[in-house]
Amino acid sequence: MFSQEERGRAVELYFSTDMTTQQVAEHLGYPTRQCLERWLHEDPRYADAIAKPIIPFSKRVRAVRLCLAGLQQKQAAAQLGISPAVVHHWMVSYREKGLVAVQPRRRTTMTEKDKPRIRPVSD
């Protein structure tokens, strides 16, 4: 277990330099890259720094079809230039709910002005 001071030092080093998470871990000798990434996800600065690209529905469908045709998930991911973990997630979702489950979700949050008004129902 790492102290708050150690955690803070690793997170600050990441934000104050151009080092990758792996380089920070190697420089300090702790933590693992995965552990540092967990700490970074807890920091509000990290959410603004990393934006995940939305993978188009057509590419998602292609990945699913390649896997259904017998290609391994890892091979399908390499062929399409995406993460094998993402392809695995899509395949699990596809098997549970079909193609509708692999559609990209809307990311933007509605403002108070855009939210639908819910009217109370009178008894």
Side-chain angles (χ1 to χ4, degrees):
M1 191 86 186
F2 297 97
S3 70
Q4 285 299 112
E5 183 181 313
E6 291 170 318
R7 289 175 68 147
R9 191 165 70 209
V11 169
E12 285 305 317
L13 183 60
Y14 175 81
F15 283 117
S16 64
T17 66
D18 290 336
M19 291 181 169
T20 64
T21 53
Q22 184 66 39
Q23 291 169 330
V24 169
E26 289 171 358
H27 176 77
L28 294 174
Y30 75 93
T32 63
R33 178 186 53 80
Q34 294 86 352
C35 184
L36 176 57
E37 288 174 358
R38 278 194 307 272
W39 296 346
L40 290 170
H41 282 286
E42 295 170 7
D43 192 296
R45 296 174 291 179
Y46 189 71
D48 296 333
I50 304 296
K52 295 179 183 176
I54 296 176
I55 300 171
F57 182 63
S58 58
K59 189 178 264 192
R60 295 169 185 228
V61 170
R62 187 156 179 237
V64 168
R65 288 188 176 149
L66 286 171
C67 293
L68 292 175
L71 202 60
Q72 291 181 356
Q73 293 173 6
K74 196 174 191 178
Q75 294 169 329
Q79 185 174 332
L80 297 172
I82 53 180
S83 165
V86 171
V87 174
H88 176 75
H89 174 73
W90 291 338
M91 289 305 298
V92 169
S93 298
Y94 170 78
R95 288 185 180 113
E96 290 176 0
K97 299 178 184 173
L99 281 178
V100 71
V102 299
Q103 288 182 333
R105 293 191 192 118
R106 185 176 179 182
R107 282 189 174 174
T108 58
T109 57
M110 286 191 228
T111 63
E112 287 297 320
K113 184 177 116 180
D114 296 333
K115 286 185 182 178
R117 302 274 184 230
I118 299 174
R119 295 183 192 140
V121 178
S122 59
D123 291 335

PDB file of all heavy atoms in Angstrom, residues 10 28 53-54 84 88-89 95 98 119-120:
ATOM      1  N   ALA A  10       3.732  10.710  -7.439  1.00  0.00           N
ATOM      2  CA  ALA A  10       3.648  10.037  -8.743  1.00  0.00           C
ATOM      3  C   ALA A  10       2.682  10.765  -9.675  1.00  0.00           C
ATOM      4  O   ALA A  10       2.989  11.006 -10.849  1.00  0.00           O
ATOM      5  CB  ALA A  10       3.218   8.583  -8.554  1.00  0.00           C
ATOM      6  N   LEU A  28      10.351   6.464 -10.754  1.00  0.00           N
ATOM      7  CA  LEU A  28      10.177   6.431  -9.303  1.00  0.00           C
ATOM      8  C   LEU A  28      10.478   5.055  -8.698  1.00  0.00           C
ATOM      9  O   LEU A  28      10.782   4.961  -7.516  1.00  0.00           O
ATOM     10  CB  LEU A  28       8.746   6.833  -8.928  1.00  0.00           C
ATOM     11  CG  LEU A  28       8.341   8.273  -9.225  1.00  0.00           C
ATOM     12  CD1 LEU A  28       6.863   8.481  -8.933  1.00  0.00           C
ATOM     13  CD2 LEU A  28       9.194   9.245  -8.423  1.00  0.00           C
ATOM     14  N   PRO A  53     -11.412   8.291 -28.269  1.00  0.00           N
ATOM     15  CA  PRO A  53     -12.112   8.498 -29.529  1.00  0.00           C
ATOM     16  C   PRO A  53     -13.334   7.592 -29.618  1.00  0.00           C
ATOM     17  O   PRO A  53     -13.335   6.480 -29.089  1.00  0.00           O
ATOM     18  CB  PRO A  53     -11.074   8.111 -30.582  1.00  0.00           C
ATOM     19  CG  PRO A  53     -10.180   7.148 -29.877  1.00  0.00           C
ATOM     20  CD  PRO A  53     -10.149   7.582 -28.445  1.00  0.00           C
ATOM     21  N   ILE A  54     -14.356   8.088 -30.258  1.00  0.00           N
ATOM     22  CA  ILE A  54     -15.531   7.265 -30.490  1.00  0.00           C
ATOM     23  C   ILE A  54     -15.277   6.461 -31.758  1.00  0.00           C
ATOM     24  O   ILE A  54     -15.011   7.019 -32.818  1.00  0.00           O
ATOM     25  CB  ILE A  54     -16.796   8.127 -30.643  1.00  0.00           C
ATOM     26  CG1 ILE A  54     -17.064   8.863 -29.348  1.00  0.00           C
ATOM     27  CG2 ILE A  54     -17.989   7.269 -31.044  1.00  0.00           C
ATOM     28  CD1 ILE A  54     -18.226   9.823 -29.407  1.00  0.00           C
ATOM     29  N   PRO A  84      -7.624  -5.017 -28.474  1.00  0.00           N
ATOM     30  CA  PRO A  84      -8.280  -6.323 -28.331  1.00  0.00           C
ATOM     31  C   PRO A  84      -9.309  -6.335 -27.202  1.00  0.00           C
ATOM     32  O   PRO A  84     -10.327  -7.014 -27.299  1.00  0.00           O
ATOM     33  CB  PRO A  84      -7.126  -7.279 -28.018  1.00  0.00           C
ATOM     34  CG  PRO A  84      -5.905  -6.598 -28.512  1.00  0.00           C
ATOM     35  CD  PRO A  84      -6.171  -5.129 -28.387  1.00  0.00           C
ATOM     36  N   HIS A  88     -13.180  -7.553 -27.467  1.00  0.00           N
ATOM     37  CA  HIS A  88     -13.740  -8.533 -26.526  1.00  0.00           C
ATOM     38  C   HIS A  88     -15.022  -7.998 -25.890  1.00  0.00           C
ATOM     39  O   HIS A  88     -16.033  -8.708 -25.814  1.00  0.00           O
ATOM     40  CB  HIS A  88     -12.712  -8.880 -25.440  1.00  0.00           C
ATOM     41  CG  HIS A  88     -13.252  -9.788 -24.395  1.00  0.00           C
ATOM     42  ND1 HIS A  88     -13.447 -11.126 -24.619  1.00  0.00           N
ATOM     43  CD2 HIS A  88     -13.672  -9.541 -23.135  1.00  0.00           C
ATOM     44  CE1 HIS A  88     -13.967 -11.673 -23.523  1.00  0.00           C
ATOM     45  NE2 HIS A  88     -14.107 -10.725 -22.614  1.00  0.00           N
ATOM     46  N   HIS A  89     -14.984  -6.746 -25.466  1.00  0.00           N
ATOM     47  CA  HIS A  89     -16.167  -6.129 -24.854  1.00  0.00           C
ATOM     48  C   HIS A  89     -17.334  -6.114 -25.844  1.00  0.00           C
ATOM     49  O   HIS A  89     -18.477  -6.426 -25.483  1.00  0.00           O
ATOM     50  CB  HIS A  89     -15.829  -4.716 -24.387  1.00  0.00           C
ATOM     51  CG  HIS A  89     -17.010  -3.961 -23.882  1.00  0.00           C
ATOM     52  ND1 HIS A  89     -17.614  -4.239 -22.679  1.00  0.00           N
ATOM     53  CD2 HIS A  89     -17.719  -2.940 -24.435  1.00  0.00           C
ATOM     54  CE1 HIS A  89     -18.643  -3.429 -22.514  1.00  0.00           C
ATOM     55  NE2 HIS A  89     -18.710  -2.626 -23.559  1.00  0.00           N
ATOM     56  N   ARG A  95     -23.173 -10.758 -27.945  1.00  0.00           N
ATOM     57  CA  ARG A  95     -23.770 -12.051 -27.592  1.00  0.00           C
ATOM     58  C   ARG A  95     -24.941 -11.893 -26.620  1.00  0.00           C
ATOM     59  O   ARG A  95     -25.858 -12.697 -26.624  1.00  0.00           O
ATOM     60  CB  ARG A  95     -22.708 -12.976 -27.022  1.00  0.00           C
ATOM     61  CG  ARG A  95     -21.751 -13.471 -28.096  1.00  0.00           C
ATOM     62  CD  ARG A  95     -20.754 -14.484 -27.571  1.00  0.00           C
ATOM     63  NE  ARG A  95     -19.882 -14.922 -28.631  1.00  0.00           N
ATOM     64  CZ  ARG A  95     -18.582 -14.673 -28.690  1.00  0.00           C
ATOM     65  NH1 ARG A  95     -17.998 -14.002 -27.715  1.00  0.00           N
ATOM     66  NH2 ARG A  95     -17.865 -15.115 -29.689  1.00  0.00           N
ATOM     67  N   GLY A  98     -27.120  -8.365 -29.036  1.00  0.00           N
ATOM     68  CA  GLY A  98     -27.117  -8.140 -30.472  1.00  0.00           C
ATOM     69  C   GLY A  98     -26.370  -6.880 -30.876  1.00  0.00           C
ATOM     70  O   GLY A  98     -25.704  -6.247 -30.059  1.00  0.00           O
ATOM     71  N   ARG A 119     -43.398  16.500 -15.421  1.00  0.00           N
ATOM     72  CA  ARG A 119     -44.508  17.139 -14.719  1.00  0.00           C
ATOM     73  C   ARG A 119     -45.054  16.167 -13.676  1.00  0.00           C
ATOM     74  O   ARG A 119     -45.236  14.984 -13.953  1.00  0.00           O
ATOM     75  CB  ARG A 119     -45.607  17.504 -15.689  1.00  0.00           C
ATOM     76  CG  ARG A 119     -45.169  18.543 -16.691  1.00  0.00           C
ATOM     77  CD  ARG A 119     -46.315  18.949 -17.595  1.00  0.00           C
ATOM     78  NE  ARG A 119     -45.784  19.701 -18.693  1.00  0.00           N
ATOM     79  CZ  ARG A 119     -46.191  19.597 -19.941  1.00  0.00           C
ATOM     80  NH1 ARG A 119     -47.130  18.770 -20.254  1.00  0.00           N
ATOM     81  NH2 ARG A 119     -45.650  20.339 -20.877  1.00  0.00           N
ATOM     82  N   PRO A 120     -45.326  16.661 -12.496  1.00  0.00           N
ATOM     83  CA  PRO A 120     -45.904  15.777 -11.482  1.00  0.00           C
ATOM     84  C   PRO A 120     -47.306  15.339 -11.893  1.00  0.00           C
ATOM     85  O   PRO A 120     -48.044  16.092 -12.513  1.00  0.00           O
ATOM     86  CB  PRO A 120     -45.949  16.629 -10.231  1.00  0.00           C
ATOM     87  CG  PRO A 120     -45.755  18.037 -10.667  1.00  0.00           C
ATOM     88  CD  PRO A 120     -45.135  18.006 -12.019  1.00  0.00           C
TER      89      PRO A 120
END
